[in-house]
Amino acid sequence: MKLNPTRVAVTGLGTVNPLGADVASTWEAALKGTSTARTLENDWKERYGLSVDFACTVPIDPYEVLSRPEAKKLDPVGQYSLIAAREAWKDAGTPVVDPVRLGVVVGTGIGGVWTILDQWDLVKEKGARRVNPFTVPMLMANSSSAHIELELGAQAGAHTPVSACASGAEAVAQAFDMIRLGRADVVVAGGSEACVHPLPLAGFANIRALSTRVDDPATASRPYDRDRDGFVLGEGAAILVLESEEHAKARGARIYGYVSGRGMASDAHHISAPSQDGQARAIREAVTDAGLSATDVVHVNAHGTSTPLGDIGELKAVAQALDGQTDQLVVSSTKSMTGHLLGGAGALESVFAVLAAHHRVAPPSINIENLDPEVPLDIAVNAPRDLPAGDIAVLNNAFGFGGHDVAVVATNA
């Protein structure tokens, strides 16, 4: 494989997530350490017997942002993607690019779960003839990348990584490779998820992955706290516009920073239990791929889901990958504020990584009342932390059920 030596710039950002309906409000809320977890305003707990009835939800109604015809043809996962992509594309200055040099990579963990289950209910209750003719385009996992590709006229390829909670970061990694391999000049990349629905809530609760702090949802997501008991489900999308540095500079684009390296590994270990060795391999590969040394990495936006086993294992993997050279490192888990967006998480946290390098500040990990004594690294506990001047690198980790391990390195402009 011959890689293009051109650097890959980040020229546009967009998101809709529990912290905000755009990048500016999201970043402001993140630095303030805002919790978004709350009890859901519905009857699911009584109606279905859910043991967990809280989550982190987006603060907007997509029908008030998109036109009604386009919103009706999209599952919520596609609605969130399109909203985020439009913001990112506009933020990038609406690049003029040859369509055959423009690509799209948007991942998801589950896809159109609302459409699948709603339309199946319709079949059972009223018969097959009542099924929405747009059902398949709405439920398919590649719906988000397809709709963005159609809107932008992108012809260099539209791809959809489906690697559980690593999907969004894998999309960024694949987009980075598309540009390095010379397949595209500009790639719209990210991830989306919309599964705050009784079925995923029940499934994650029954596998004991969710926090059960139903009496105090706002503090339920508490990565690195001694008393953490699982993650909080979230939803939303985040999109980045990646562009060859040459193309970006030729059109005078504003550059937030660079995606400078990526690592991808698989555990071959267990369907739901993480592997420290697999995570460490992905992290080490990302840092090496970026041409950096361990001490160049000053901040990690961790996968950090707030599970008892996963949080410490990831921190040990970071230390293992960086050969113990971690004195300069500060770690944050923004899932403490957003909940876990599953397939959207790695994309949103890539946005946070780019912004951290750009603004030189690491967002906080909130809800830490008693830091777990087993934590081996420095955590930005309940407050943001300034990052140093000079050239810096920020690592974003994303790991998924099935043993998918992805790490992405962002560097400052």
Side-chain angles (χ1 to χ4, degrees):
M1 181 174 67
K2 184 178 181 181
L3 298 178
N4 189 325
T6 295
R7 300 176 77 191
V8 178
V10 181
T11 57
L13 301 172
T15 185
V16 54
N17 71 86
L19 281 172
D22 55 39
V23 171
S25 61
T26 294
W27 186 240
E28 180 180 2
L31 295 183
K32 289 180 178 176
T34 307
S35 173
T36 62
R38 54 185 56 88
T39 302
L40 297 169
E41 296 178 354
N42 54 47
D43 63 351
W44 293 349
K45 186 174 183 179
E46 296 76 17
R47 190 174 181 185
Y48 303 116
L50 287 177
S51 59
V52 174
D53 65 339
F54 61 92
C56 301
T57 58
V58 300
I60 60 166
D61 178 355
Y63 277 82
E64 295 180 355
V65 179
L66 302 172
S67 71
R68 189 164 186 81
E70 61 191 2
K72 286 185 67 175
K73 293 180 182 178
L74 291 168
D75 183 272
V77 70
Q79 294 170 350
Y80 299 155
S81 296
L82 194 58
I83 293 168
R86 286 177 175 172
E87 183 192 3
W89 193 247
K90 182 179 179 182
D91 188 50
T94 315
V96 176
V97 53
D98 184 342
V100 299
R101 303 290 298 165
L102 173 61
V104 177
V105 189
V106 178
T108 185
I110 299 177
V113 65
W114 278 94
T115 299
I116 293 171
L117 296 172
D118 285 353
Q119 295 302 309
W120 176 234
D121 285 345
L122 203 61
V123 169
K124 291 186 292 183
E125 294 168 8
K126 298 185 178 180
R129 289 183 178 275
R130 297 295 297 275
V131 168
N132 185 338
F134 294 106
T135 294
V136 173
M138 291 169 70
L139 66 83
M140 60 191 195
N142 62 317
S143 178
S144 293
S145 57
H147 280 279
I148 294 169
E149 164 230 317
L150 289 166
E151 173 150 310
L152 299 180
Q155 299 175 24
H159 308 287
T160 306
V162 179
S163 46
C165 305
S167 303
E170 185 165 341
V172 175
Q174 289 192 14
F176 174 61
D177 281 345
M178 282 183 73
I179 295 173
R180 290 200 298 176
L181 289 167
R183 288 184 54 207
D185 294 322
V186 181
V187 181
V188 177
S192 184
E193 206 75 85
C195 60
V196 180
H197 178 286
L199 183 62
L201 278 168
F204 282 120
N206 289 351
I207 204 172
R208 298 183 178 179
L210 295 182
S211 169
T212 58
R213 292 176 178 268
V214 293
D215 296 331
D216 190 14
T219 67
S221 183
R222 48 176 61 208
Y224 317 122
D225 186 271
R226 183 190 59 197
D227 300 318
R228 64 191 181 279
D229 69 336
F231 71 80
V232 177
L233 194 60
E235 62 179 0
I239 299 290
L240 302 87
V241 177
L242 304 188
E243 188 166 354
S244 73
E245 184 181 48
E246 181 182 12
H247 193 275
K249 287 189 171 179
R251 68 180 185 87
R254 177 268 327 279
I255 296 176
Y256 282 104
Y258 297 89
V259 173
S260 297
R262 102 290 184 269
M264 290 189 279
S266 51
D267 290 353
H269 170 65
H270 191 276
I271 192 65
S272 59
S275 157
Q276 181 179 320
D277 288 342
Q279 294 172 358
R281 281 189 289 112
I283 295 166
R284 184 179 293 112
E285 179 182 313
V287 175
T288 301
D289 187 42
L292 300 172
S293 62
T295 54
D296 293 319
V297 182
V298 299
H299 171 47
V300 178
N301 190 309
H303 188 60
T305 58
S306 187
T307 58
L309 180 64
D311 289 3
I312 301 301
E314 178 187 8
L315 298 182
K316 290 180 178 177
V318 171
Q320 177 181 334
L322 300 182
D323 297 322
Q325 299 181 72
T326 57
D327 290 347
Q328 77 291 348
L329 202 63
V330 61
V331 177
S332 303
S333 169
T334 46
K335 288 186 180 75
S336 60
M337 298 178 279
T338 66
H340 191 352
L341 274 60
L342 308 180
L348 178 59
E349 290 153 19
S350 291
V351 168
F352 285 138
V354 170
L355 291 174
H358 179 69
H359 294 294
R360 297 181 184 276
V361 59
S365 298
I366 67 168
N367 298 327
I368 298 176
E369 298 172 357
N370 299 290
L371 187 66
D372 188 332
E374 296 296 317
V375 168
L377 300 177
D378 183 18
I379 307 295
V381 176
N382 297 328
R385 192 83 66 83
D386 289 339
L387 297 177
D391 289 333
I392 58 173
V394 174
L395 185 70
N396 172 37
N397 293 336
F399 311 127
F401 276 4
H404 304 278
D405 303 315
V406 180
V408 174
V409 172
T411 53
N412 61 286

